[in-house]
Amino acid sequence: MSGSDHRIHVLLVSYPAQGHINPLLQLAKRLAGHRGIRCTLAVTRSVLGNSGGPSQAGAVHIAAFSDGCDRQGYDEVGDVQTFLARLESVGSSTLDELLRSESEHGRPVHAVVYDAFLLWAPRVARRHGAKCAAFFTQACAVNVVYAHAWAGLVKLPVDKQNAPAQLPGLPTMLSPADFPSFLTDPGSSPAYLHLLLQQCEGLEVADYSLINSFHELQPKEAEYLSSRWGAKAVGPSIPSAYLDNRMADDTSYGFHLHTPMAAESMAWLDDRPARSVAYVSFGSLANATPDPAQVAEVAEGLYSSGQPFVWVVRASETWKLPEGFIGKAMGRGLFVTWSPQLEVLAHPAVGCFVTHCGWNSTIEALSIGVPMVAVPQWSDQPTNAKYVEDVWHVGVQVKGVVTKEELARCIREAMDDAKGYRTNAASWSHKAKKAMSEDGSSDRNIADFLSKLGPST
Ligand code: UDP
């Protein structure tokens, strides 16, 4: 056994998806910046394998557990229910081994911050005497909606014919189309729906609940979650340099599960006028991107907007592009299979973000001050898109099914700031930065969480 480390040891455990690893890694970095705290981020072996297996990211130690699919992760089984069952059975035993090994090496774990998707993680943590904090990777509003559905207040399926509803804890009415898609269409992905409802148990059983957001962004929703369950917003989990619209020295803000575009592509952006480029990405999950007909509308809409664009089209998705489009867009459009998204959003040439409104993408754009064109696809994205347009006024949602005319109109509207989207986004960016600064709301919530873990913090 090596020498003992007397610091408080926080182990963060991530669900193996890009949108879950990024915010947990950033939170880990933030916690590790506090005196007296040792932080370890546990990710699955398939994630480490794909990214070359670093043992360290800044001050954060990286450790592995297994989802039972060490070669290719989810793709090895291709079925959500089977994957989640394996993740639970193999994940709980290998996480148990990890906690035991840390203890044997003189680094006992005092608290486990677990992705709220990992419903079984508290059982493992408690066996080792560690406290448990659930970490929610979706917006406060979305957590409020799922909590109501879990408690039976929202009846499933949400009927598409319903009038807009006012739910407790939300400042705005939600029409059926604004609900997370799993609630309007429970049959589309029953395993995910079950997981999302059950994660509300984290609010009941965890010692703490932490959310990747900041209080000022959804104050009513955050207060609702805080007063009922003590949940606290501790984000946005974004390196502070990007909040200042600077490039970060430490670009290891995430394990990129894909290879980011080369430096030459950033140079392409350097050559474009300020705020002229539409950045387009539908997130990390290939199965949640638009179908070929919609991709064709996006392509023609981008082209006819007249603006230069950078479009993330995953290698497995390029077949959806209309034939000859890459050639037609030559000089105007840059196609990449993966981008360093925070760097792109913080680049002065970027004028708007055409986004699926995954929660990370939404809070990243808003915190960096980039107006959005919302093209939600599924899951929590419709709810986030509703807030983008109607609550935060930082962008516009395409109406109905995407057409090229509608997309081009939305891009123009987001770019020219006639409706003040950029000005509003800049103001939210300022608030995000303040929340994470010393004595800001998220900073206080992080300090409060750490103060409960032990005397040495
Ligand atoms: N991302 C990235 N490069 C890309 C596309 C996405 O770095 O080309 C990152 C993005 O910054 C975000 C995450 O991947 O942190 C995607 O999470 P999000 O919640 O937006 O969407 P999801 O992929 O979960 O649908």
Side-chain angles (χ1 to χ4, degrees), residues 18-19 22 253 256 279 281 283-285 312 338-339 341 356 358-361 364 381:
Q18 190 76 67
N22 287 2
Y253 58 79
H256 285 290
Y279 167 59
S281 166
S284 64
L285 305 169
V312 179
W338 190 251
S339 81
Q341 183 158 300
H356 70 317
W359 181 237
N360 293 287
S361 293
E364 286 165 4
Q381 298 155 17

Side-chain angles (χ1 to χ4, degrees), residues 16 21 45-46 81 99 103 108 133-134 148 154 157 163 169 172 228 237 284 306 317 326 330 394 442 444 446:
I21 299 166
R45 289 190 191 124
S46 54
Q81 197 157 357
L99 280 153
S103 194
H148 289 322
V154 171
T172 182
R228 286 209 52 187
S237 286
S284 64
E317 302 284 293
I326 294 183
M330 187 92 73
V394 291
S442 292
R444 283 200 306 275
I446 290 170

